[in-house]
Structure formats: structure tokens, C-alpha cells
Amino acid sequence: MATSIASHEKLVEFDLVQSHYKKVGDHEIRADFIIPHAECTGKRPLIVRFHGGGLITGDSLSMEWFPQWLLDLAKKHKAVIATANYRLLPEATSLDIFEDVEDFWTWLHSSDVEELLSSCVNPTKLDLGRIITAGESAGGLLSVCLALAHPDEIRAATASYPCLDMASAHFSTPNSVPLTDPPVPESVIDENLAQVKPGAIRSSALLPDRLDLMLAAIHYGRLTQLYERKVESSHQRDLRYPLEKIDQPDAKIPRGGIAMIQGLQDDIVPAEGNQKFAEKARDIMKGKPYADKIILALREGAHGFDIMTRLEEEWMQEHLKAAVEAWLA
């Protein structure tokens, strides 16, 4: 996979360094470093990014879903993008996924990464004091949750149409309008669940693998059920539900805030959930530092509308301004 992905047109001006950041049983989980060709004499700022796919499908290098503006941002500031796979539903639980995210975070700060990047073709040092997070859809959820878990170590968070309200009716009750024509049958969900073997692990699904399962889970309102599968509903909810995390007395946000974008015609992740988070976070954080940097940019478009957007577009520059300034300060 590395050879074909590395030659993708989006990555022609980058080096790709791959490794595994953890092992669960015999299953290794991959992480990728995307490094601009441009020489950098000092340490490079870091973008920690997570892929989307409803926590069910996708891969850290699913280039169909990799935003162009994020690559432009890395290139402009000679920054490294560290993007990781994680265990996927329904084989995994949501707690497994957040364990992977935290293990990836710890691994990024390890001597293993320092040695890996110092010995690559384009020797690289990471500036772990300048970190911004990013992610699309389910990856946006992980981006925001990581930033809320480490607000003093992460300078800013970004997220594209993140599914921050996983307890919403949209993800827990059937939707009247199908996401595909013809609709994916609900039996796809039960067939997949029946085939899950004890101990099975999936941490990568290259499109279109399992896309039908993801769409069915959302259409039939069963994504929350999969998210809560084999987990006590009250267990570590503030870790998995950012609307509840932001309610905690000790809740903090990074100094550069949280910058989110959302399409108004998004039927995969509706705007309402992210509007709810932004309004609640601003209200709770009122009078506290950085409350004015909780930004939600609503744009015309469907899910994934920003994938080919360039960083140079005026609205994107303005949207990211506070987050990027804090990241690089």
C-alpha cells in the first residue's frame, strides 16, 4: 500500500514515513508521517490528524477523504502531519478507540519517534510544543476529544463536520430519508455483527470497504448503539462525549481554541449537533480564557465539501487564523 499511496498526486511534494505505534495481540496499528520536501533547519511544528469513516471504515491514508487545505497548511509552515489508524467498530469498542488515540499521543512523545524521524531520508525533528489537531467527521470527534483531554499541551484544535453529538437522535433513531438510492438494507448491520469473531481487530478499511455498513448504521440510527456496544453506558462518558466533557468543572480548551467547519446540507453529520456544542462551549467558557476562539463556520455544502478546498481561499484563511497563530506562536 505504501508505494501506491506515496505516489498519490496529493503527496508528490511530501515524504511518507510509516511505522506502527502499538500492537494489540498480533495486530499492529499503523501511523503515518507526511513530511514536506522543503528543508527545515529547526524543529517542525506538528499536525495530529485523524481520519473519518464513522469509526467503522477508513484509513489514515484514504486520500479520497484527505483535505487539500490541510496538506497546504503543512507545506506552508513546513509542518509534519502525523495521522494514525485506530481500531474500528464493530470489532472494537469506543473505549478501545480512545485508548488507541491516547497511546498514539504518548508514542508521538517517545524516543522511538525521535529515532524514526531522525533516520529517515529527510531527517526531521518535531516541535512537540507546537501541536494542532485536525480530523474529518469521526476523525473530527477524535481531534476535539484529544484537545479537550490535553488542552495545555495542544495549541489549537480544528475539526471538519465532527460528529460531536454521538448521543443525538440522528445517530440513535432511524432517519426517514435514506443516504443512498437505493438504501443500504439494515440487514448489512446484523450480518456484520454476526460475523465478528471474539478478539477480531480491524484498524484499516480502504474505501469502499465497509462504507455500506457505516451508511446503514447512520441511516437506521444504530451508530450510537455500535458506539456503546460492550461498554457500560456511564463508563468514561466525558472521554467519549465532548458535550459532556465540556460540562465538567475543570474543562479547558486550548489557547488557540477549537475551529470547526460544517456544511449546511450535510446529511451524514447534521449541523445541529455542532451548533449545539459550539453554543454550549461558549456559554460554559464565558469569562474564561479563549472562549471567543470556539468557532463554527457554516458553509454551503454536503459532507466532505472541503476536501478539495485550498488553504489560499479567503474564508479558510480567516477561519483558521486564530488557531494557526496560536499554533505557531
Side-chain angles (χ1 to χ4, degrees), residues 46-50 82 84 97-109 131-135 138-159 164 238-242 245 252-254 257-258:
L46 180 62
I47 301 168
V48 177
R49 177 259 179 185
F50 300 98
I97 294 171
F98 282 97
E99 178 185 284
D100 291 347
V101 169
E102 193 60 35
D103 287 344
F104 176 57
W105 173 256
T106 299
W107 180 76
L108 284 172
H109 293 75
I131 298 176
I132 192 170
T133 66
L141 167 68
L142 302 181
S143 169
V144 171
C145 286
L146 184 64
L148 292 176
H150 300 276
D152 295 324
E153 300 165 83
I154 290 169
R155 293 282 185 91
T158 70
L164 298 184
D238 63 335
L239 175 69
R240 301 177 293 123
Y241 290 92
K245 174 68 174 179
K252 294 173 65 177
I253 63 170
I258 302 172

Side-chain angles (χ1 to χ4, degrees), residues 293-308:
K293 294 181 180 178
I294 300 169
I295 300 167
L296 176 61
L298 299 171
R299 305 284 299 179
E300 295 295 323
H303 202 68
F305 75 96
D306 67 316
I307 295 301
M308 296 310 296

